[in-house]
Amino acid sequence: MQELTLGQAVNQALREEMSRDERVFIAGEGVGVSIHSGPYGATNGLLEEFGPRRVKDTPVSEAGIAGLAVGASVMGLLPVVEIMFNPFFTIAADQIVNHAAKLRYLSGGKSKFPLVVRVKTGAGIGAGCQHSHNLEAWVAHSPGLKVVMPSTPADAKGLLKSAIRDENPVIFIEDMILHFVPGSVPEGDYTIPIGVADIKKPGRDVTVVTWSKMLGAAFKAAGQLEQEGISVEIVDLRTLVPLDEATILESVEKTGRLVVLHEATRTGGFGGEIAALVAEKAFDALKAPIKRITAPDIPVPFSKPLEDFYIPNESSLMEAIRGLL
Amino acid sequence: MQELTLGQAVNQALREEMSRDERVFIAGEGVGVSIHSGPYGATNGLLEEFGPRRVKDTPVSEAGIAGLAVGASVMGLLPVVEIMFNPFFTIAADQIVNHAAKLRYLSGGKSKFPLVVRVKTGAGIGAGCQHSHNLEAWVAHSPGLKVVMPSTPADAKGLLKSAIRDENPVIFIEDMILHFVPGSVPEGDYTIPIGVADIKKPGRDVTVVTWSKMLGAAFKAAGQLEQEGISVEIVDLRTLVPLDEATILESVEKTGRLVVLHEATRTGGFGGEIAALVAEKAFDALKAPIKRITAPDIPVPFSKPLEDFYIPNESSLMEAIRGLL
Amino acid sequence: MDNNEQKKLLRMMLLIRRFEEKLVDLSQDPQKLGGMMIVCTGQEAVAAGVGAALLPEDVIITNHRSHGHLLAKGAEPDLIMAEIFGRRTGYNKGKSGTLHIAVPEVNALCTTTVVGGGIPIAVGTAFAAQYMQKDYVTVCFFGNGASDEGSFHEALNMASLWNLPVIFICENNIYSGAQRMEEHTKVKDIADRAAAYAMRGEIVDGNDSPAVYEAVQRARQDCLSGAGPVLIECKTYRWGGHGTADQQLYQPKDEIARWKEQCPIKGLKASLMRAGVFTEQEFQQFEIEIGHIVEQAVQFAETSPWPDPAEALEDVYV
Amino acid sequence: MDNNEQKKLLRMMLLIRRFEEKLVDLSQDPQKLGGMMIVCTGQEAVAAGVGAALLPEDVIITNHRSHGHLLAKGAEPDLIMAEIFGRRTGYNKGKSGTLHIAVPEVNALCTTTVVGGGIPIAVGTAFAAQYMQKDYVTVCFFGNGASDEGSFHEALNMASLWNLPVIFICENNIYSGAQRMEEHTKVKDIADRAAAYAMRGEIVDGNDSPAVYEAVQRARQDCLSGAGPVLIECKTYRWGGHGTADQQLYQPKDEIARWKEQCPIKGLKASLMRAGVFTEQEFQQFEIEIGHIVEQAVQFAETSPWPDPAEALEDVYV
Ligand SMILES: Cc1ncc(C[n+]2csc(CCOP(=O)(O)OP(=O)(O)O)c2C)c(N)n1
Ligand SMILES: Cc1ncc(C[n+]2csc(CCOP(=O)(O)OP(=O)(O)O)c2C)c(N)n1
Ligand SMILES: [Mg+2]
Ligand SMILES: [Mg+2]
C-alpha cells in the first residue's frame, strides 16, 4: 500500500473524484495558485491537472465561497470548497448553517445541496487562536449537516470520497498537524461509509472515544497502560454526525468505563454529547464516572509552552484512565 | 412589585443603566425607530428618552454592529448591541467569537471588552428556521464569552444590569415568547450575579436542569407530577457560562436523578455539557440514567402543528421523569 | 414590448396585488391566518417586469418579500397560498411558510429571509450555468437594506470577477425595516455600488413594469453574451409597513400618498387606455378572473390538510 | 514636511526593514524562531508615513502584516521581539506571537489576523471618539485582499453614515496571498470603492513616505473637522512572499526587480541627498544605531523567560 500524509490522501481523493465525475470542482483561497507550493498541500497540482475551470481560486470572501457552493450544488454540481482555517468558518457560518443545512428542509425535500466544505483545523501549528480553534461542535449542532473528522490518511481518503458522493452538505474537518503525518492508504476507489465509527484498538477495561488528531494521544496512552495491565479500547468516531451510537454503546457495555478525549475546549465541546449518550443509554453498564479529557476553556495561545499546555495529551488521559480503575 | 413582561424588564434594565452610566449606549437594527411600536419592545421609548447619540439605529450589518461594540468597548464605552434573531448571529460570529472573546487574551490581559450582545431567540413565533434557531451552545463553547439566558422578567432585569456592568463580553439571549410573558419584577437597582443558578422549585425525587422558556414546561410537569407523588426540583441555570456547577451537583446529589430540558436541538446541545458534568462529578449519587428532553435534530418548521411538535413540552418531560422512577 | 405583453404585465401586477391584499385581510383574523405578512404592495412592477423577461429555465433567488416574484416566475397561487397557510399541500409541505417558499418547479430555488443571504447563492447558481455552458441566467432579488450586508459585497465582487450570468435586482423601496435610505447609507443610489466591482449598474423606474422588463431583457442578453453581471436598481416604494404588524408610524403620510399616485397598476392601465388598446371592461374582466383565482387559492389552502406532526422529521437529509 | 521629519521617516523605515530582515533570518533556524514570518519588506513607507502623521492618542487597528505599523506607532522593538519569541516579557506575555500583537500602551488596540476583521472594530473605536467628543482619529490598516471581505463593506458604510473619524488605509501590495489583484477583483483601484459609501477615496504612492504622511495628515484634519472618514489606497509591493514559507513561484522575477528599484528607503535617501540635506555618513549612523537596537531586541527576547504553562489559563476574563 502507498504511504501518504493526510494532506496527500485528501489530494488523492480530490483528484480521483474530479477525474471520475465532471460535476466535481474545487474552490477556495489559494486552492489553485498557493503560497505553499509543497507536495503536502491538499489541493497541490490540481490546477495543473484540471485547469482553472474546475479549480477556482477565490477572493478572500468566506461567505461568498460558501454561497458559491450552495448555489452550485442546487444546480447539480458537486462543489468541494475550502475554508482555510476553522476560525474563518465563522464568516461562512450563515451560508452553511442557515442555507446549506436548511434549504433542503425549506424546499420540503425537493432540492438537495450535495456540497462539501473542507475546513482546516487544530492547534500545534504555532499560529495562535485566530488560526487554531476547533469548532466541530458548532456544525454538529446544526441539523442538516453531516460532520466528518478523520484521524488517518486512509480514513481521510475514504471518507472524503464518500462525502463528495453524499447528496447532503458535509463538513469535512482536517487537522493541520495530521496533514503532515504519513500512513498507509489503499490505492484506487477506496471509500468508507459516513456514519460508521472505527474501533482502532480493541480493549477490555475502558473505552476511549476520540477523533481526529487526538487518536495519537489515545494510542500512546493505550500503549503505556497495556504495560500496566490496563486494556484500552479506542473508538475513533470519524463521523460526528450522523453519530454511530451503536459502536459507542457496545464498547461501553463491554468495558463499563468511558473517557472522551478531544482537542476542542471543554465547555460545550462534543464530548458532552458522547457523555450524555452513554449516561442515558448505557448507564447500567457504567462502573465508574465518565471523564472528559479536553483542552481547557481558553483561546489557543501562541507561545510554544502555552500551546503545548493547551493540547490534551497522553499523560492526562492516562491519569484519567487510572483514576477510573 | 411591578408586573412586567420580559421585554419590558429588559427595557427597564436598559433605561436604568443608561441613566446611571453615560458610557452605556445601545445599537442595532431598529432599536430606535422600529417597525414594532408596541409597548413590549425591549428598546421601546429609549430613543425618545436618550436621543440618537445613545440609541443608534444601524444598517442591516450584523458584523458591523458587533465590530462597533468591540471597538467602542475597548475605548471604555459600554455598548449593548442587538442581534435581531439568533440565526443572524452567524453573520456576527467572527466579530464575537474571534474578536470580542479573544482580544483580551491576545492583549495579555491589558485590554478589556465590556460589551453586551442581546440576541433574540426561540421557536413558537411562527417564523420558521431562519428566525428561530437556538444557538446558545455555540457561544457557550467560545472561551472568553459569558452567556446568560433568563427565564423570568425579574431575572432578565437583574441579569441584564449585571451583564452591562460586567467587564467581559456577555451574550444575553432573550426568548421571544417570554418577551410577552409577564411576571413580578423588583423596582430600582435590582441585580442578580452572573454565574449563579436558581432553584426555582425545590424537590426530592428528580432534578430538572433547564433554562429560558423551558422553565414553563418544567413547572407544568412538576405541578402535575406532584399529584402523582413525584417531587421535582427545578434548577434554572440562568447563566450557561460561567456554569454554576455546585448548584447542579448538590441538587443531583440530593435527588439522585437528572433530566436536562432545553429547547435547542439535541445533538451538540448544551444539555450534553450538563449530563457530562453530572456523569463525572455526581456519578455515585446517580440512581438512574440521565435523560435529555430537547427539540429533535431538525430545523424549526413553519407550520403550526410542526412547530408545536418541535418544541419540547411537559408531556415528554413527565414521561422521561416517570421513566426514571 | 407589444400591447399584449403589456397587458400580461398588467394582469400579473393585479394578481400580485389582489393575492397579497387577501393575505393582509386574512391575517387580521388569527383564526384564519396567524402571523405577520410581508407583502410588496406598490412594488408589483418589479416582480412582473422581471418575471416577464425571464424564461422558465432562468433561476430566481429571492427574499422575505417574495410572493410577487414567485407568482411572476410562474408559481401556482394555490400552492403558494397553501404553503402560507402551513398546509401539507403547499409547495414546501408547510415547512417554509410565507418567508421561505421555494418553488423548484419554476426554478425559484432559494427564498431566504436572511437579509442578503441569497446573493452569494445566486453567484453559485450563475457559476453553474457558466460551468455547464448552459444558457440560463440567474436573477437575484434583494432590497436597499440588503445592499449594506457583507454578503452583497462578497457576492458582487465574485460575480464580476468571473463574469457570471447573474442579474442583481435591488428593489429600492426607500426603507430597510423602519430605517429610511438616508438612515442606513449615505449613497443616494444603490446602483452606484456596481462601480466598486467594475460592474455595470443601472437605475430603472421600479413602478414602470415595461421599463423593468426592458432593462432585464438587456441585462439578460449581456449575461448570455458573456458581458458579465449587471446591477439594476429599481426605484419603488413600499405602500404598507414592513409587515402587517407594522403601524408605519415613521412613514410620512404624504410620502405614501405621493407614491400611491404613482401606482404601477394604475400607471400601466392608464397608458394602455391612452394608447387606445385597452378598456375598463377588459380590466374588470381581469379583476373577475383574478378574484376567482385568489378565492380559489384561499379555498384550496383552507381545505387542505395540516401536516402530521411527525412529518417535521422528514426532509432534513436526502 | 521638513527635512528633519523626513529623516525620521527614513530612519523609521530602516528600523522596520532591519527588524524584519532579522526575523526572516532567525526564522530560517527552527531552533531560534519557528514558524512563518509575515513581513512588510518593500512596504515600509506606508507604516512610517502613517505613524509620523499620528499623535499618541490616535488609535491604530492592524492586521497580520503589523510589525511596521506597530514600530511606527511607537511600540518598543524589544517588547515586540519578545512577543514574537513567545516570551513572558513580550507585549502580550506570549499569547499573541507575531500575528496579533496588541500594544495598548501606544493605542495599537487590536491586531487581528482574521483578514478584514479589524475594519468593523475601527468603526467602533472611531465611534467612541465621536461619542465622547475626543479629538483622536482611528487608522485602520488592511490589504487589497481584505477589501473583498464583507466586513470591509459593512464597516465603511457605517463609518460614512455616521461621519466617523476613521482613516482606512488600504495597503495595496498587488497580492492577496498568491492571488494577484486581477485574480481577486475586477476593480483597478481599491480607492474607487469609497464611492460606494459616498466617502472620499484617494490614491497615494505607497512607496513615497512623505506622500503617505501628507495624505494622512489631510485625512486626519478631515476627520477631526467632522468631514468624515477617508479611504486611502497606498500602492506598494510585497518584495517577499506572503510569509517566509512562501517560495514566491507565482511572483514574476522582473516584477520584483522593478519594484525593488522603487525601494522606499533608497528613494527617500536619494531625495534627501539630492537636496543636500543628508549624507551617506548620516545614513551609516542610522544603520549602526538600528543594528544595535535590533541586536538588543533579539538579545532581550532570547534571554527572556518562557511563560509557565499554567499562565495559559490567565487573561481570558477580567
Ligand atoms: C441578516 C438579517 N438581519 C436582519 C433581518 C431582519 N429584517 C428583515 S427584513 C429587514 C429589512 C430589509 O430591508 P430591505 O433589504 O430594503 O428589504 P425590504 O424589506 O425593504 O423589501 C430586516 C432588517 C433579517 N431578516 N436578516
Ligand atoms: C478571514 C480570513 N481568511 C483567510 C485568511 C488567510 N490569509 C491570511 S493573509 C491573506 C491574504 C490577505 O491579503 P491582503 O489583504 O492583500 O494583505 P497582504 O497579505 O497582502 O498584506 C489570507 C487569504 C485569513 N487570515 N483570514
Ligand atoms: Mg427596502
Ligand atoms: Mg495584499
Side-chain angles (χ1 to χ4, degrees), chain A residues 177-220:
Chain A
I177 296 290
L178 293 183
H179 250 244
F180 298 91
V181 176
S184 305
V185 178
E187 322 254 350
D189 200 23
Y190 173 69
T191 62
I192 294 175
I194 290 178
V196 179
D198 187 33
I199 299 186
K200 283 273 172 7
K201 181 191 164 303
R204 285 180 321 271
D205 300 325
V206 58
T207 299
V208 172
V209 170
T210 192
W211 54 93
S212 189
K213 174 158 87 238
M214 287 299 108
L215 180 65
F219 264 117
K220 283 191 197 150

Side-chain angles (χ1 to χ4, degrees), chain A residues 28-38 57-63 87-88 91 125-131 296-307 309-310, chain D residues 36 83-86 93-100 111-115 145 148-149 176-179 183-184 242 245-247 249-250 306-313 316:
Chain A
E29 297 156 13
V31 296
V33 180
S34 166
I35 59 172
H36 298 298
S37 37
D57 277 321
T58 66
V60 193
S61 302
E62 285 76 11
F88 314 152
I91 307 177
I125 58 173
C129 65
Q130 289 183 333
H131 280 71
D297 285 328
I298 60 172
V300 176
F302 162 77
S303 182
K304 190 86 177 63
L306 304 184
E307 193 182 29
F309 174 83
Y310 175 92
Chain D
M36 183 169 87
E83 185 59 38
I84 295 172
F85 271 74
K93 308 182 192 164
K95 289 183 166 115
S96 274
T98 168
L99 287 172
H100 342 65
T111 298
T112 171
T113 178
V114 177
V115 167
D148 297 337
E149 286 277 10
S176 165
Q179 276 58 61
E183 291 161 348
H184 72 79
H242 174 70
D246 180 351
Q247 295 170 267
L249 299 182
Y250 55 86
W306 292 97
D308 279 341
E311 288 175 34
L313 300 172
V316 182

Side-chain angles (χ1 to χ4, degrees), chain B residues 201-206 221-233 257 318 321-325:
Chain B
K201 179 192 166 304
R204 288 180 320 272
D205 301 324
V206 58
Q224 294 201 34
L225 290 171
E226 209 77 32
Q227 297 169 3
E228 301 174 19
I230 301 173
S231 165
V232 177
E233 175 146 309
R257 294 178 190 86
M318 286 189 295
I321 291 174
R322 289 195 197 101
L324 295 183
L325 285 153

Side-chain angles (χ1 to χ4, degrees), chain C residues 28-43:
Chain C
Q28 304 308 306
D29 179 358
Q31 297 303 338
K32 293 235 156 189
L33 187 64
M36 183 170 88
M37 285 297 135
I38 295 183
V39 299
C40 73
T41 306
Q43 308 178 204

Side-chain angles (χ1 to χ4, degrees), chain B residues 263-318:
Chain B
E263 182 180 316
T265 54
R266 186 178 187 83
T267 300
F270 198 70
E273 184 61 33
I274 309 301
L277 169 73
V278 168
E280 175 169 4
K281 299 196 179 160
F283 180 77
D284 292 335
L286 281 175
K287 300 176 202 153
I290 298 173
K291 290 244 170 122
R292 286 179 293 168
I293 301 298
T294 69
D297 285 327
I298 61 173
V300 176
F302 162 76
S303 181
K304 190 84 177 60
L306 304 185
E307 193 182 27
D308 287 347
F309 174 83
Y310 175 93
I311 303 173
N313 60 27
E314 59 274 21
S315 323
S316 37
L317 178 59
M318 286 189 295

